[in-house]
């Protein structure tokens, strides 16, 4: 067996996401899953602002802190405009011998402007060049809605009404065949869209990365994907406190968000943990991979210290009860490309989940 393609077994592609991230030998004995998160993903609607705000200049500090704390799952995307900075930082670690490429789980994503079969290879090759890598462990279709590369005269993204998930998925499968991606998956897809891809796939989607937090728990989508052996990865698992604060025009101290909810604060005191750790642990016990975002070194370290306690069934139930459904979303749909989304045939929010 060619060791360059350890994800291939007798013509069948394994769910490498689940195998690599969720089946570590040192997994938490209280869980069926061992979750490692990434702290370098972006969640801003303004991509140029996001690239600046991440602090590409201090990406080395972020990467150093995360790896030293034990993080091994790094989530990025072509659209985040930080792949190159991440690649440079990781190369320092590889060159030093402190860590090997195969010890990391690297995720990046096809931008919506590349949601055409003929563009998949081009964008993945560019991401690999940015990251200075020959393969990624997981490659996701970032959005179910495609757009054209060129904006309109006003600078707005122009949506592509002819987005074809099935032809796009075949092109994604070709990247696994070529060894450029170990696993492939989806992001922001609803149940109907996941099922259509899954039903027609030669290589099944390994993961669906979606917004998920205490107020927006996506219970139906989690159950649906679990039945298809598609793992769920939660972005914004803390409820995007920064976004909520920026969008709030009143007193920041009265903003309603998961981190400051009385039940979360009560449990943080009970378990002697931070509110963030309570929220992360809650998602983990629901079998969800979490990728909380922080560029603060101390919070980075705190966010991985969630394997030394277990929420009781009663406490989990109390947190489960705080779900608000769609009203609990913390992020606007599709960031800055919401014009025409409601009418787009692949708008995932046309369905209940």
């Amino acid at each position: 067996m060619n060791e360059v393609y350890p994800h291939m077994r007798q013509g069948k592609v394994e769910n490498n996401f689940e195998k690599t991230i969720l089946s570590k030998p040192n997994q938490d004995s209280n869980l069926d899953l061992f979750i490692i998160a990434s702290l370098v993903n972006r969640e801003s609607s303004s991509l140029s602002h996001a690239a600046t705000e991440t602090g590409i200049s201090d990406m080395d500090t972020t990467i150093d802190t995360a790896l030293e704390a034990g993080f091994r799952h790094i989530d990025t995307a072509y659209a985040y405009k930080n792949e190159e900075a991440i690649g440079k930082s990781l190369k320092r670690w590889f060159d030093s011998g402190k860590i090997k490429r195969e010890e990391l789980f690297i995720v990046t994503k096809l931008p919506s402007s590349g949601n055409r079969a003929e563009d998949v290879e081009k964008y993945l090759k560019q991401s690999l060049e940015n990251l200075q890598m020959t393969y990624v462990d997981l490659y996701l279709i970032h959005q179910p809605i495609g757009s054209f590369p060129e904006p309109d005269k006003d600078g707005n993204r122009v949506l592509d009404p002819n987005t074809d998930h099935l032809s796009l998925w075949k092109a994604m499968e070709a990247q696994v065949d070529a060894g450029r991606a170990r696993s492939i998956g989806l992001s922001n897809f609803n149940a109907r869209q996941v099922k259509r891809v899954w039903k027609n796939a030669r290589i099944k989607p390994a993961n669906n990365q979606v917004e998920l937090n205490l107020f927006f728990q996506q219970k139906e989508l989690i159950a649906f994907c679990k039945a298809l052996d598609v793992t769920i990865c939660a972005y914004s698992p803390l409820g995007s406190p920064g976004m909520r604060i920026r969008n709030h025009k009143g007193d920041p101290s009265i903003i309603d968000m998961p981190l400051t909810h009385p039940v979360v604060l009560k449990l943080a005191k009970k378990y002697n943990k931070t509110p963030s750790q309570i929220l992360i642990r809650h998602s983990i016990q629901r079998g969800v991979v979490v990728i909380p975002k922080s560029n603060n070194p101390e919070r980075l370290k705190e966010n991985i210290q969630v394997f030394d306690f277990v929420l009781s069934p009663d406490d989990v139930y109390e947190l489960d009860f705080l779900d608000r459904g769609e009203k609990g979303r913390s992020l606007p749909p599709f960031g800055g490309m919401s014009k025409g989304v409601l009418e787009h045939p692949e708008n995932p929010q046309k369905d209940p989940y």
Side-chain angles (χ1 to χ4, degrees):
M1 178 63 63
N2 189 337
E3 289 305 312
V4 176
Y5 306 108
H7 56 301
M8 301 290 288
R9 294 292 184 271
Q10 297 179 346
K12 178 183 178 182
V13 178
E14 297 179 352
N15 185 334
N16 201 63
F17 181 83
E18 186 170 7
K19 182 179 179 62
T20 306
I21 291 299
L22 308 182
S23 303
K24 293 290 186 181
N26 59 335
Q27 65 184 21
D28 181 351
S29 60
N30 299 302
L31 299 172
D32 292 325
L33 307 177
F34 178 67
I35 313 298
I36 300 179
S38 163
L39 283 301
V40 292
N41 69 312
R42 296 307 306 161
E43 300 159 356
S44 171
S45 60
S46 170
L47 296 180
S48 59
H49 175 63
T52 303
E53 189 183 34
T54 3
I56 285 181
S57 62
D58 61 16
M59 182 62 77
D60 285 349
T61 302
T62 303
I63 291 290
D64 290 353
T65 303
L67 293 180
E68 287 166 3
F71 290 94
R72 295 296 180 266
H73 174 180
I74 295 179
D75 182 273
T76 183
Y78 182 90
Y80 299 160
K81 300 183 184 294
N82 62 7
E83 290 175 327
E84 190 172 351
I86 290 170
K88 288 178 180 177
S89 293
L90 290 178
K91 189 173 187 301
R92 286 190 303 106
W93 278 73
F94 298 151
D95 290 347
S96 71
K98 292 180 181 178
I99 203 165
K100 297 178 181 178
R101 167 64 185 91
E102 55 268 27
E103 294 178 83
L104 301 181
F105 194 91
I106 309 297
V107 183
T108 194
K109 308 176 190 76
L110 175 74
S112 59
S113 58
N115 274 16
R116 284 166 293 279
E118 62 270 22
D119 289 337
V120 173
E121 182 175 327
K122 174 184 72 174
Y123 277 103
L124 178 51
K125 283 183 174 179
Q126 183 59 60
S127 287
L128 290 173
E129 182 180 329
N130 294 341
L131 291 165
Q132 301 185 54
M133 295 178 184
T134 58
Y135 71 92
V136 291
D137 296 276
L138 178 62
Y139 194 48
L140 304 176
I141 300 174
H142 204 158
Q143 301 284 3
I145 297 176
S147 64
F148 293 106
E150 299 300 323
D152 64 17
K153 59 182 177 59
D154 297 319
N156 298 313
R157 295 189 186 186
V158 180
L159 302 184
D160 180 359
N162 298 313
T163 304
D164 181 355
H165 292 163
L166 298 188
S167 66
L168 187 58
W169 191 255
K170 289 184 183 301
M172 294 285 285
E173 291 174 327
Q175 304 315 301
V176 178
D177 296 336
R180 287 185 281 268
R182 295 287 176 85
S183 300
I184 48 179
L186 311 165
S187 180
N188 298 302
F189 277 54
N190 67 25
R192 174 180 54 82
Q193 293 166 331
V194 171
K195 182 62 179 292
R196 186 198 309 145
V197 171
W198 185 91
K199 188 175 180 180
N200 291 278
R202 172 173 58 89
I203 300 173
K204 303 298 185 185
N207 178 250
N208 188 20
Q209 186 179 123
V210 296
E211 180 188 357
L212 188 152
N213 66 73
L214 183 68
F215 294 166
F216 183 49
Q217 296 185 24
Q218 299 259 45
K219 293 172 183 174
E220 297 87 354
L221 184 62
I222 289 176
F224 183 88
C225 288
K226 184 177 181 180
L228 298 180
D229 194 28
V230 176
T231 58
I232 289 286
C233 180
Y235 65 79
S236 301
L238 306 182
S240 294
M243 180 79 71
R244 291 177 189 268
I245 292 171
R246 283 196 298 272
N247 292 340
H248 195 270
K249 294 180 172 56
D251 182 355
S253 67
I254 60 172
I255 298 174
D256 184 24
M257 56 185 177
L259 280 171
T260 56
H261 192 281
V263 172
V264 176
L265 297 179
K266 178 187 72 173
L267 295 179
K269 184 176 182 179
K270 173 182 176 180
Y271 290 96
N272 194 28
K273 290 291 182 178
T274 66
S276 296
Q277 289 169 330
I278 295 298
L279 294 175
I280 292 170
R281 183 70 202 189
H282 177 237
S283 290
I284 287 173
Q285 288 186 218
R286 297 178 63 215
V288 173
V289 180
V290 290
I291 46 173
K293 174 180 72 66
S294 177
N295 295 318
N296 181 296
E298 291 309 310
R299 289 199 204 101
L300 270 167
K301 295 171 185 175
E302 285 177 356
N303 286 345
I304 202 170
Q305 294 170 2
V306 292
F307 298 106
D308 57 352
F309 77 107
V310 181
L311 297 170
S312 73
D314 287 345
D315 291 337
V316 170
Y317 177 81
E318 191 171 10
L319 291 170
D320 287 349
F321 196 68
L322 299 178
D323 188 14
R324 301 176 183 177
E326 283 289 325
K327 293 180 180 179
R329 283 185 183 272
S330 56
L331 300 173
F334 307 105
M337 60 170 289
S338 57
K339 184 180 179 181
V341 165
L342 290 176
E343 291 77 29
H344 196 283
E346 292 298 349
N347 172 18
Q349 293 182 34
K350 286 184 176 181
D351 296 2
Y353 64 91

